[in-house]
Amino acid sequence: MQPSYILSLENVDAYYGPIQVLYDINIRIQKGELVCLLGGNASGKSTTLKTILGTCKPKKGTIRLKGERIDGFPTKRIISKGVAVVPENRRIFPRLTVLENLEMGAYLRKDTAQVKRDIDRILELFSLLGDRIHQFGMTLSGGEQQMLAMARALLSNPEILLMDEPSMGLSPRLVDQQFELIQQVHKQGTTIFMVEQNANMALSIADRGYVLQTGVIVLSDTAENLLNSEMMQEAYLGERGM
Ligand SMILES: Nc1ncnc2c1ncn2[C@@H]1O[C@H](COP(=O)(O)OP(=O)(O)OP(=O)(O)O)[C@@H](O)[C@H]1O
Ligand SMILES: [Mg+2]
């Protein structure tokens, strides 16, 4: 029997107008996994997430969420089926408080009592946000906004959490803090697909990884094997001097 995947992309091609950006992408993610997609600038990482979310329509191939085809669905429908995202630029609501931002994450849920319990549970993990619960989003630091965006996404109770470069724009200390949080959220059972340029950091917490080069997946392996792979060092890590 085939293993059951939360999310799978099979032979996916994606274009912006006439320009092809993704070539024959195959990615499979099982329940509870933390999988990363690595690659340099313009390699197609964000486009992969946009294609999963339906904001960029695949021209060829199949995307499934828990076995059901979702390619071609409108983004709203894909989100309502359990795909949450922390986008590249975070996009929290600047004029809402931290608490209101969190509540927005759960706006599709009808189980209000459970939402309250989930907010309390999430604030235990994201304790820094608890201290700022009535502060406006726009007054948070970059690292705090990244935390809020992730906490808000988790409040939709997603089948899978997509993250676009959680380390972007954060100081090394905040990157450590952010990755520690991602690891804890993963340990509590959330399935995560994370896009990152910071390969060493991402692989240090991931189960598996894929490496994208100009729209093509050139490597795919366990995080441990990728960290020790010569090809990886040459193709990616070496190039960045990490
Ligand atoms: N809306 C768009 N219209 C046309 N081309 C686009 C559009 N968005 C992205 N591209 C192009 O698609 C390619 C892949 O972009 P993408 O944003 O997926 O890369 P990325 O790996 O996320 O890069 P970065 O690390 O800089 O975020 C790039 O060449 C980019 O210029
Ligand atoms: Mg990007």
Side-chain angles (χ1 to χ4, degrees):
M1 212 181 92
Q2 283 219 330
S4 57
Y5 298 110
I6 290 284
L7 182 75
S8 68
L9 284 79
E10 294 156 28
N11 311 110
V12 168
D13 284 355
Y15 290 71
Y16 291 108
I19 300 166
Q20 187 165 6
V21 175
L22 297 180
Y23 298 82
D24 202 35
I25 299 296
N26 283 282
I27 292 173
R28 290 178 177 80
I29 300 164
Q30 292 188 51
K31 190 171 171 59
E33 277 194 307
L34 198 181
V35 176
C36 60
L37 178 66
L38 309 170
N41 285 122
S43 56
K45 303 183 300 298
S46 297
T47 303
T48 305
L49 297 188
K50 285 181 198 163
T51 308
I52 294 167
L53 285 162
T55 55
C56 180
K57 304 275 180 226
K59 208 162 188 174
K60 202 195 96 211
T62 310
I63 303 177
R64 290 179 204 276
L65 184 70
K66 291 174 83 181
E68 181 190 4
R69 268 188 90 153
I70 57 166
D71 50 276
F73 282 9
T75 303
K76 248 171 98 177
R77 182 140 173 234
I78 293 171
I79 288 171
S80 75
K81 287 191 170 287
V83 180
V85 63
V86 182
E88 214 161 8
N89 49 10
R90 292 157 203 159
R91 271 192 246 135
I92 59 152
F93 300 105
R95 290 173 197 281
L96 296 186
T97 65
V98 167
L99 180 60
E100 288 163 342
N101 265 280
L102 293 175
E103 288 165 349
M104 287 301 282
Y107 78 105
L108 284 173
R109 291 173 59 181
K110 310 261 185 296
D111 50 341
T112 20
Q114 186 59 41
V115 167
K116 281 210 173 71
R117 285 195 289 274
D118 284 352
I119 289 180
D120 288 344
R121 182 176 53 83
I122 276 175
L123 287 176
E124 266 175 41
L125 195 57
F126 295 73
S127 55
L128 223 147
L129 294 178
D131 302 338
R132 290 167 171 63
I133 198 81
H134 298 301
Q135 228 171 282
F136 287 115
M138 62 188 170
T139 66
L140 298 180
S141 72
E144 290 162 357
Q145 289 188 20
Q146 178 68 37
M147 274 183 208
L148 178 56
M150 185 174 171
R152 187 183 61 184
L154 287 169
L155 277 162
S156 67
N157 242 347
E159 298 285 350
I160 186 162
L161 177 66
L162 310 179
M163 302 191 76
D164 198 345
E165 300 213 38
S167 76
M168 193 196 274
L170 301 183
S171 70
R173 191 179 58 84
L174 286 178
V175 171
D176 283 349
Q177 203 179 50
Q178 179 65 22
F179 276 74
E180 177 68 28
L181 264 175
I182 296 171
Q183 194 169 28
Q184 287 185 31
V185 167
H186 169 228
K187 280 191 178 146
Q188 291 188 0
T190 304
T191 309
I192 302 175
F193 183 48
M194 172 174 69
V195 156
E196 256 298 337
Q197 283 202 39
N198 190 335
N200 276 337
M201 202 69 207
L203 291 172
S204 74
I205 63 166
D207 298 312
R208 290 190 299 116
Y210 295 86
V211 180
L212 201 55
Q213 263 179 4
T214 49
V216 178
I217 290 179
V218 291
L219 279 173
S220 133
D221 210 331
T222 62
E224 198 188 345
N225 285 348
L226 285 177
L227 274 171
N228 296 320
S229 143
E230 261 178 45
M231 248 173 98
M232 176 75 184
Q233 297 292 336
E234 281 167 24
Y236 189 79
L237 298 176
E239 170 192 310
R240 310 193 159 263
M242 289 196 288

